[in-house]
Amino acid sequence: MRRLLYLLPFLLFIGVGVAFYLGFQRDPRDIPSALIDKPAPTFDLPAIPGQPATGGLSSAKLTGDVTLVNVFASWCIPCKAEHPVITRLSREQGVTVFGINYKDKPEDALTWLARNGNPYAAIGADQDGRVSIDWGVYGVPESYLIDRQGRIRFKHVGPLTPKVVEEQLLPMVKHLRQG
């Protein structure tokens, strides 16, 4: 019995070590989404107050072509890092990108877009974050690939990188446009 008491801390240490090892094997961005292959949530967001004539964003705009919905905010540091990737997708790679501006002050969002460029075909202002909750947003940035029928086909948590775009997003866009 005494030996068992001496072995117990060692066995606990081994158990915790195995749990950590297995936990670090997972990619933290691989967050499952119950919305994959389901229709995008129904929503109708106004434009950012003072935004040029691109208008707001609604679920009605998400059908007819393969599109990307990017949830961003001016206060989000990773959003600034991914912005050149979003811009390249929109301007050079032929992907229509819509934006959901998450819990942002309108003047900050407009200043951010003026400074960094506006790659979005339309932007909806989600000032209270309720629409983003319907999308299952954990935090910004997050991006969702939408097929022609308005179904969510891919979700990426965190900033899009050139690697993710080249290896995952663009092949899926090509496949969805062929189908």
Side-chain angles (χ1 to χ4, degrees), residues 65-66 88-96 173 177:
D65 193 12
V66 177
R88 198 166 26 262
L89 264 173
S90 173
R91 296 190 179 149
E92 297 171 17
Q93 295 171 315
V95 177
T96 301
V173 168
R177 284 183 173 161

Side-chain angles (χ1 to χ4, degrees), residues 33-162:
S33 175
L35 298 177
I36 299 297
D37 294 327
K38 303 262 190 315
T42 302
F43 68 97
D44 189 5
L45 289 172
I48 299 169
Q51 181 182 349
T54 59
L57 181 61
S58 70
S59 49
K61 291 184 178 181
L62 303 180
T63 58
D65 193 12
V66 177
T67 59
L68 185 76
V69 175
N70 177 249
V71 183
F72 74 100
S74 66
W75 46 263
C76 165
I77 303 299
C79 295
K80 183 163 173 49
E82 88 167 347
H83 198 71
V85 176
I86 298 289
T87 301
R88 198 166 26 262
L89 264 173
S90 173
R91 296 190 179 149
E92 297 171 17
Q93 295 171 315
V95 177
T96 301
V97 181
F98 293 111
I100 295 178
N101 184 238
Y102 179 73
K103 292 187 175 183
D104 217 346
K105 295 178 183 171
E107 58 276 7
D108 293 346
L110 292 173
T111 301
W112 192 84
L113 289 165
R115 184 181 326 118
N116 298 302
N118 184 353
Y120 303 105
I123 302 171
D126 189 14
Q127 292 184 323
D128 62 7
R130 290 178 193 229
V131 168
S132 296
I133 290 171
D134 291 343
W135 280 80
V137 171
Y138 289 90
V140 288
E142 287 191 19
S143 297
Y144 300 82
L145 188 64
I146 312 298
D147 70 12
R148 291 177 173 165
Q149 291 76 36
R151 291 180 309 214
I152 298 172
R153 300 303 296 267
F154 175 78
K155 175 182 179 178
H156 182 77
V157 176
L160 286 173
T161 64

